[in-house]
């Protein structure tokens, strides 16, 4: 049996979890979904789902990971019975697929950071993005990013992941705050804040079938839920700490950074040639940050430098998140098959890179849609749903016992947590999974057709 590593400090664990949560989900997905689904209306639903669903499920993953000291597959083999033993594979497969295309998008970010350093953001953002995606160059930047991920994870928990996040997460916070302060000085800031911070509740009631699954998917993606990251990271905890307190800190920091990204993106957009009424028509993630936002950088003071700093922030955030996903699949080989860390990391890194090559080479983005719909919109929600049912209804004692460690008196909070899992979380996840399945079917049918 390979000797298992542990975090050196509590701060290391918290920053690693925050680093996992603070990734492309905050910068790539969050602003465009706010724009697509009614501005502040989406923000209200998102924050509600973070509190009601995201936080309780994070505690589930924490308790399972710390109790078993294993990766998702090994953890469910240890505590599961019958078919429940196989739940862990949902998490590992989701993480594997997500990282394969996540790395491709991060490679695009590297290219856009280079554009900024060269002062080369184009007035026609769509044309520049079209020339950026697809072909050999995105495959190369995909390889560069995956090589960085492999290098960090291969160094281990303390010397690789923990050391890197202690540098990266503070850097993300400092850069985000600095960019938000600069964005506040732009002429479009007032209109942007009105759009971003004044919810139209009528939008929520009218479009809830679209807003709800989008906000839920964002909550899961940004908190790294449903892909086994929090199970794996909690499995390296060497002491009985207050998981609820750590979870509040992690969720709070992640949400704060996501919020700041809105304070950055919308003033920059509205200081360019985009009006508040047009934000919802920009489209998905590539359309938002790689087309509309980069085009706006061409029209604001010091736009090249500002864009380079922005995309550098995105790069650091993407790396801190990607190493956590890689650790999930690497820990499986280490725990279950006794493979040494370096060959496990290199071998899986190459495999993930190869799975992502079709996404990198495809200029139409069809492969990206396929991967994202299946992994992010289906597998993440399915894994969280199954685990919530198992801990909430079947292994209740395990969850309560593990959560109570580090807490003097769990009391009514434990009852609240379990019943939150049993009713609102499970019901909401079933509804969201159904809506996502319909959306995925429509999206994939459009590609096939």
């Amino acid at each position: 049996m390979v000797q298992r590593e542990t975090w050196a400090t509590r701060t290391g664990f918290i920053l690693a979890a925050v680093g996992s949560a603070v990734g492309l989900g905050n910068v790539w997905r969050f602003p465009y979904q706010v724009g697509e689904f009614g501005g502040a209306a989406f923000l209200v639903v998102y924050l509600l789902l973070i509190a009601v669903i995201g936080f309780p499920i994070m505690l589930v993953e924490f308790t399972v990971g710390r109790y078993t000291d294993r990766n998702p597959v090994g953890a469910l083999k240890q505590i599961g019975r019958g078919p429940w033993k196989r739940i862990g594979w949902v998490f590992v497969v989701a993480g594997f697929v997500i990282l394969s295309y996540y790395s491709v998008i991060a490679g695009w970010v590297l290219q856009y950071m280079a554009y900024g350093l060269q002062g080369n953001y184009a007035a026609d953002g769509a044309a520049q993005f079209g020339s950026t995606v697809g072909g050999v160059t995105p495959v190369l930047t995909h390889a560069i990013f995956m090589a960085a991920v492999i290098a960090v994870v291969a160094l281990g928990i303390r010397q690789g992941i923990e050391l890197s996040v202690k540098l990266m997460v503070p850097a993300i916070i400092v850069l985000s705050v600095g960019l938000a302060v600069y964005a506040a000085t732009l002429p479009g800031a007032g209109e942007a804040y009105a759009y971003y911070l004044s919810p139209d509740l009528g939008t929520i009631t009218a479009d809830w079938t679209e807003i709800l699954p989008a906000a839920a998917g964002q909550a899961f993606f940004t908190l790294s839920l449903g892909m086994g990251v929090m199970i794996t990271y909690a499995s390296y905890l060497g002491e009985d700490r207050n998981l609820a307190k750590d979870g509040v800190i992690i969720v709070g920091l992640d949400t704060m950074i996501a919020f700041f990204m809105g304070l950055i993106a919308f003033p920059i957009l509205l200081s360019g040639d985009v009006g508040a009424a047009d934000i919802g028509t920009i489209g998905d993630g590539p359309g938002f940050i790689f087309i509309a936002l980069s085009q706006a950088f061409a029209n604001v003071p010091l736009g090249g430098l500002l864009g380079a700093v922005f995309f550098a922030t995105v790069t650091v955030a993407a790396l801190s998140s990607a190493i956590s996903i890689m650790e999930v699949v690497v820990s499986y080989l280490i725990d279950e098959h006794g493979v040494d860390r370096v060959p496990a990391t290199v071998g899986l890194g190459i495999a993930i890179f190869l799975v992502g090559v079709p996404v990198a080479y495809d200029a139409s983005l069809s492969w990206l849609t396929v991967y994202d719909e299946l992994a992010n919109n289906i597998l993440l929600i399915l894994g969280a749903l199954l685990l919530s049912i198992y801990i909430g209804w079947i292994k209740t004692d395990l969850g309560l016992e593990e959560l109570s460690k580090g807490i003097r008196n769990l009391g009514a909070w434990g009852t609240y947590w379990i019943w939150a899992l049993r009713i609102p979380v499970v019901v909401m996840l079933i509804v969201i999974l159904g809506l996502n399945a319909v959306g995925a079917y429509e999206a994939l049918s459009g590609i096939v057709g």
Side-chain angles (χ1 to χ4, degrees):
M1 179 67 69
V2 178
Q3 181 64 40
R4 218 159 186 280
E5 298 177 87
T6 59
W7 301 107
T9 63
R10 178 193 182 204
T11 301
F13 164 66
I14 291 175
L15 290 180
V18 171
S20 175
V22 177
L24 289 177
N26 283 33
V27 186
W28 175 52
R29 298 179 70 96
F30 180 72
Y32 91 72
Q33 291 194 328
V34 171
E36 185 175 1
F37 296 107
F42 177 88
L43 182 62
V44 169
V45 177
Y46 167 74
L47 293 175
L48 182 63
L49 290 179
I50 286 285
V52 175
I53 295 181
F55 180 65
I57 295 175
M58 177 177 283
L59 293 184
V60 172
E61 295 200 19
F62 279 170
T63 56
V64 170
R66 190 172 68 178
Y67 178 84
T68 61
D69 292 332
R70 282 293 177 270
N71 64 89
V73 173
L76 270 298
K77 281 184 179 179
Q78 181 175 326
I79 67 172
R81 297 197 303 265
W84 295 101
K85 287 178 175 289
R86 298 180 177 85
I87 297 175
W89 282 106
V90 178
F91 295 91
V92 172
V93 172
F96 187 98
V97 175
I98 287 172
L99 184 54
S100 71
Y101 69 81
Y102 192 99
S103 175
V104 174
I105 298 168
W108 299 344
V109 174
L110 290 174
Q111 290 179 260
Y112 272 80
M113 181 174 66
Y115 293 156
L117 293 174
Q118 298 164 8
N120 196 28
Y121 292 119
D124 187 345
Q128 186 169 46
F129 181 68
S131 66
T132 299
V133 301
V136 176
T137 301
V139 175
L140 292 176
T141 55
H142 169 42
I144 292 169
F145 185 80
M146 279 304 306
V149 174
I150 291 169
V152 173
V153 175
L155 290 172
I157 296 300
R158 296 190 179 189
Q159 297 303 314
I161 296 175
E162 185 167 353
L163 182 61
S164 65
V165 296
K166 285 181 176 178
L167 298 173
M168 288 191 286
V169 174
I172 294 168
I173 294 173
V174 170
L175 289 171
S176 299
V177 172
L179 285 169
V181 170
Y182 175 84
T185 67
L186 296 174
E191 185 182 6
Y193 296 153
Y195 173 83
Y196 186 44
L197 303 176
S198 301
D200 178 2
L201 299 182
T203 302
I204 299 175
T205 56
D207 301 326
W208 71 271
T209 57
E210 295 181 353
I211 294 177
L212 183 63
Q218 174 61 27
F220 274 72
F221 197 93
T222 190
L223 292 177
S224 297
L225 301 175
M227 62 183 79
V229 170
M230 296 308 171
I231 294 176
T232 304
Y233 272 6
S235 74
Y236 296 121
L237 288 172
E239 58 184 86
D240 294 334
R241 290 202 296 265
N242 187 328
L243 294 176
K245 183 177 181 180
D246 289 354
V248 168
I249 295 172
I250 292 163
V251 170
L253 286 174
D254 172 68
T255 305
M256 178 194 75
I257 294 173
F259 179 75
F260 267 92
M261 287 302 162
L263 296 179
I264 296 166
F266 293 114
I268 293 172
L269 276 179
L270 296 180
S271 296
D273 56 1
V274 176
D278 300 322
I279 291 178
T281 65
I282 290 174
D284 59 11
F288 192 94
I289 72 167
F290 293 116
I291 297 177
L293 198 56
S294 70
Q295 190 170 292
F297 285 134
N299 298 316
V300 298
L302 302 175
L305 178 60
L306 178 64
V309 174
F310 174 80
F311 284 107
T313 307
V314 180
T315 300
V316 176
L319 181 59
S320 68
S321 190
I323 61 177
S324 69
I325 305 174
M326 173 66 96
E327 181 59 27
V328 173
V329 292
V330 168
S331 66
Y332 163 73
L333 286 186
I334 294 174
D335 291 346
E336 307 306 309
H337 299 284
V339 181
D340 289 339
R341 175 171 286 274
V342 173
T345 306
V346 173
L348 284 170
I350 292 173
I352 291 170
F353 164 75
L354 292 175
V355 171
V357 167
V359 179
Y361 198 79
D362 175 29
S364 72
L365 307 185
S366 295
W367 280 101
L368 174 61
T369 300
V370 171
Y371 284 21
D372 190 50
E373 288 291 341
L374 293 177
N376 184 63
N377 292 342
I378 302 298
L379 292 180
L380 290 194
I381 307 299
L382 178 62
L385 172 61
L386 294 174
L387 192 60
S388 297
I389 292 172
Y390 193 63
I391 296 299
W393 287 99
I394 301 173
K395 278 287 186 178
T396 304
D397 291 343
L398 183 154
L400 289 172
E401 179 183 349
E402 193 63 31
L403 186 62
S404 67
K405 295 177 180 178
I407 302 175
R408 291 184 179 180
N409 182 18
L410 190 57
W413 286 107
T415 303
Y416 165 78
W417 174 58
I418 288 297
W419 281 103
L421 292 178
R422 287 178 171 178
I423 306 297
V425 168
V426 168
V427 170
M428 189 75 74
L429 291 181
I430 290 173
V431 172
I432 292 166
L433 183 60
L435 292 172
N436 282 356
V438 172
Y441 175 79
E442 293 175 349
L444 297 180
S445 296
I447 292 175
V448 174

